[in-house]
Amino acid sequence: MLKSILFVLIFSFFMATIIGPFFIPFLHRLKFGQAIREEGPQSHRKKSGTPTMGGIIFITSIVVILLVAVLFTKYTGMTNELMMLLLTLVGFGLIGFIDDFIIVVRKNNEGLKPKQKLLAQLVLAAVFFYLFLKSGYSTELSFFNLFSVNLHWLYGLFILFWMVGFSNAVNLTDGLDGLCGGVSVITFGAFGMIAVAMQQPSIALFCFAVVGALFGFLVFNLNPAKVFMGDTGSLALGAAIAAVSILLKQELLLVIIGLVYVIETLSVIIQVAYYKRTKKRLFKMAPIHHHFELCGWSEWKVVIFLWSVTLVCAAIGLVIAI
């Protein structure tokens, strides 16, 4: 398995770094630049026009390398797990692509209507649940390997909530150069190691293909970013990591390892609820990474801090799981 992991890790990285220099100028020629929201930090205005839809770079790398791995390595074929993960990645990536396309064509920051996006996400999550059941998976929800509870049909509702929730949580985290990419490298890397320990080669290969491709993407996404992943990338990553946690039956472990995603989401929920009640803001701006910026932290300092938090959470998660 180690050779296959190294193969997908290294070659997905190189593929992303090769695709980037060709794809980014193409986005520039099409004028597919990000529209920066008016209410965002003033320091972000200079980023207006930076190409978005960069998620295509790492999604393409992941899919191509994994298909090559299926054909040329002896450790995995196109297993049910790998098929479900690829369908999730590409399906949610397509929703994000449509959203990004509407944004850049209309030159606004609205995109798909919330109800349209939610419906599409729910449909894909329902398809995942159908394949999940067809593959013979248990509907038990594991509580950190201590005990589990069989939710029966309610597990389907849990999957809908989990995949849609984390898809949008990762989307909210994608607000600073390199932030979402770095956090996701650590998160997928941790679950990849858990998959290895659990002897789940297909899931491990998927996770490390994502890690390699994201490292390649970060070459172009670190501050100052030459390209943003957009909803194309963030929605795909969020749904994919939720799917990984479900297939490994380590669902709730994602709350620990992906704590930054959770905090980013909670900061928005709390901010909205607090404002509706008091007409005041609890944070200077939400998601919380913007609060840190407006407190005087540099963008790079915020990113490094949240990467560090994720590293600590990943270490805790690994101790619990392995």
Side-chain angles (χ1 to χ4, degrees):
M1 189 191 299
L2 180 60
K3 288 183 179 179
S4 296
I5 287 173
L6 289 174
F7 171 82
V8 299
L9 185 65
I10 293 170
F11 282 95
S12 60
F13 167 79
F14 281 116
M15 177 162 281
T17 58
I18 291 169
I19 293 174
F22 292 96
F23 188 64
I24 295 171
F26 175 70
L27 292 175
H28 272 293
R29 287 196 295 273
L30 294 178
K31 297 182 179 180
F32 279 6
Q34 177 71 52
I36 303 300
R37 60 189 181 123
E38 292 296 324
E39 65 272 20
Q42 293 296 313
S43 60
H44 286 211
R45 297 293 176 84
K46 61 185 179 183
K47 299 183 182 186
S48 182
T50 301
T52 187
M53 297 188 188
I56 293 174
I57 295 172
F58 58 78
I59 291 174
T60 302
S61 302
I62 294 163
V63 173
V64 171
I65 291 302
L66 284 174
L67 291 178
V68 171
V70 166
L71 293 173
F72 296 103
T73 68
K74 62 182 180 180
Y75 293 102
T76 185
M78 183 52 74
T79 62
N80 289 340
E81 290 81 8
L82 191 55
M83 179 185 68
M84 291 162 69
L85 290 170
L86 286 174
L87 285 175
T88 299
L89 183 78
V90 174
F92 277 81
L94 181 59
I95 295 172
F97 174 82
I98 295 170
D99 193 40
D100 286 333
F101 187 82
I102 292 172
I103 290 171
V104 297
V105 168
R106 294 183 179 177
K107 300 300 180 186
N108 63 53
N109 220 31
E110 296 300 323
L112 283 171
K113 294 178 181 178
K115 289 182 179 179
Q116 293 174 323
K117 186 186 293 187
L118 177 61
L119 178 61
Q121 290 174 314
L122 287 172
V123 168
L124 284 178
V127 171
F128 178 89
F129 180 52
Y130 172 77
L131 295 173
F132 178 87
L133 292 178
K134 291 285 286 183
S135 299
Y137 273 90
S138 164
T139 54
E140 291 185 345
L141 179 63
S142 174
F143 287 81
F144 307 113
N145 295 333
L146 298 175
F147 64 94
S148 59
V149 176
N150 195 333
L151 298 181
H152 302 289
W153 63 270
L154 286 174
Y155 194 83
L157 296 180
F158 170 79
I159 284 182
L160 297 183
F161 168 75
W162 210 239
M163 294 185 73
V164 173
F166 272 97
S167 178
N168 289 300
V170 174
N171 182 240
L172 289 172
T173 306
D174 182 34
L176 301 178
D177 296 354
L179 174 58
C180 185
V183 169
S184 296
V185 162
I186 299 166
T187 305
F188 275 95
F191 274 99
M193 286 186 274
I194 292 169
V196 171
M198 295 179 65
Q199 298 183 341
Q200 294 282 351
S202 296
I203 301 174
L205 287 180
F206 177 83
C207 287
F208 285 109
V210 175
V211 170
L214 283 176
F215 266 126
F217 176 73
L218 283 171
V219 171
F220 313 104
N221 185 240
L222 291 177
N223 189 281
K226 298 180 180 66
V227 66
F228 300 139
M229 70 170 66
D231 284 10
T232 305
S234 59
L235 294 183
L237 290 175
I241 194 59
V244 166
S245 72
I246 291 166
L247 292 175
L248 289 175
K249 304 305 293 180
Q250 296 287 346
E251 305 95 334
L252 299 183
L253 197 65
L254 183 53
V255 176
I256 296 175
I257 297 177
L259 184 63
V260 167
Y261 303 140
V262 176
I263 291 173
E264 293 275 17
T265 305
L266 287 176
S267 70
V268 173
I269 295 171
I270 293 169
Q271 181 85 324
V272 171
Y274 188 79
Y275 183 80
K276 284 183 176 180
R277 186 176 180 84
T278 67
K279 301 303 178 184
K280 297 179 181 178
R281 290 180 172 83
L282 184 63
F283 304 109
K284 292 179 182 294
M285 186 175 291
I288 201 168
H289 55 256
H290 290 321
H291 172 80
F292 291 135
E293 279 190 289
L294 295 179
C295 285
W297 291 25
S298 68
E299 184 171 347
W300 187 236
K301 182 178 179 180
V302 178
V303 170
I304 292 295
F305 171 70
L306 293 177
W307 284 0
S308 301
V309 170
T310 307
L311 274 172
V312 172
C313 292
I316 294 171
L318 287 171
V319 169
I320 293 171
I322 299 177

